[in-house]
Amino acid sequence: EAQVTQNPRYLITVTGKKLTVTCSQNMNHEYMSWYRQDPGLGLRQIYYSMNVEVTDKGDVPEGYKVSRKEKRNFPLILESPSPNQTSLYFCASSLGLAVNEQFFGPGTRLTVL
Amino acid sequence: EDQVTQSPEALRLQEGESSSLNCSYTVSGLRGLFWYRQDPGKGPEFLFTLYSAGEEKEKERLKATLTKKESFLHITAPKPEDSATYLCAFNTGRRALTFGSGTRLQVQP
């Protein structure tokens, strides 16, 4: 089954404790992206990647890091999480440069205390 | 600054009661207007892409239309399973989509 998977689905952590949210897709997509979704603000892009070793900032990259060492994986790293990073996070992928029709993962709900 | 606004924020319909959701935008260099559906606890699911004014796309009870300033998602004779949040988004040529805040639709039997 074609899908985007994220782990963990739920995470409660404390300020400053480094964490990684994994994202993997099995569709051989070149483009991958991370979004955060907050009430009243909609989906905002954090980082994206056009291909292996090619990443770039989205609209809200502060406090986040990403890497793209393999085509299928695009982990999101929070080196020192803060409470304002409490949010619902989505990973997405799409074929080639077709950023329009993105396939989204199920989401990771992160709470930073 | 490119912006997209969705209205209403929430809409409650009776089963079979047709209505429309609005997505108005001020975007320079629009390269596509998109509609996604999001069910509670899930990621958005792609519905439609519209590229030029006058274009229409249909899928079951949903029809999306586009003018130079706004897009409408028309829902004809909705069913309870159409209940979801509907998101519109645009692409201005950056490698990203900019999403609106969404319209929460509830269809009551």
Side-chain angles (χ1 to χ4, degrees), chain A residues 9 31 35 37 40-43 45 48 50 59 90 97 99-102 104-106, chain B residues 31 34 36 38 41-44 46 49 51 87 91 94-101:
Chain A
R9 295 289 314 280
Y31 179 93
Y35 294 85
Q37 187 173 36
L41 296 176
L43 280 158
Q45 191 184 51
Y48 66 91
M50 298 304 298
D59 295 321
F90 289 101
L97 301 182
V99 300
N100 309 329
E101 185 175 344
Q102 296 188 28
F104 282 80
Chain B
R31 294 192 183 185
F34 316 100
Y36 281 76
Q38 186 174 20
K42 295 188 176 182
F46 172 79
T49 304
Y51 288 105
L87 305 169
N91 180 1
R94 299 187 306 120
R95 302 304 184 190
L97 294 183
T98 301
F99 283 85
S101 298

Side-chain angles (χ1 to χ4, degrees), chain A residues 29-45:
Chain A
H29 284 170
E30 286 82 6
Y31 179 93
M32 297 187 74
S33 180
W34 276 103
Y35 294 85
R36 60 178 289 174
Q37 187 173 36
D38 302 289
L41 296 176
L43 280 158
R44 294 178 293 167
Q45 191 184 51

Side-chain angles (χ1 to χ4, degrees), chain B:
Chain B
E1 181 184 347
D2 296 335
Q3 285 189 350
V4 58
T5 304
Q6 291 190 246
S7 62
E9 288 188 14
L11 181 62
R12 182 178 297 178
L13 300 173
Q14 293 295 316
E15 185 173 0
E17 179 186 2
S18 301
S19 188
S20 297
L21 312 183
N22 178 264
C23 172
S24 61
Y25 62 90
T26 52
V27 173
S28 55
L30 182 72
R31 294 192 183 185
L33 189 290
F34 316 100
W35 285 95
Y36 281 76
R37 168 189 170 130
Q38 186 174 20
D39 292 299
K42 295 188 176 182
E45 176 186 348
F46 172 79
L47 291 173
F48 303 110
T49 304
L50 301 166
Y51 288 105
S52 56
E55 189 174 358
E56 298 182 353
K57 293 274 182 72
E58 284 190 69
K59 181 179 180 180
E60 296 181 354
R61 295 176 292 283
L62 300 177
K63 183 168 80 172
T65 61
L66 182 66
T67 72
K68 289 186 177 180
K69 293 184 178 180
E70 55 193 351
S71 177
F72 292 95
L73 185 65
H74 306 278
I75 304 176
T76 303
K79 298 182 178 182
E81 53 262 41
D82 294 322
S83 297
T85 295
Y86 290 87
L87 305 169
C88 73
F90 62 81
N91 180 1
T92 59
R94 299 187 306 120
R95 302 304 184 190
L97 294 183
T98 301
F99 283 85
S101 298
T103 293
R104 289 191 317 277
L105 174 65
Q106 184 179 9
V107 181
Q108 296 182 314

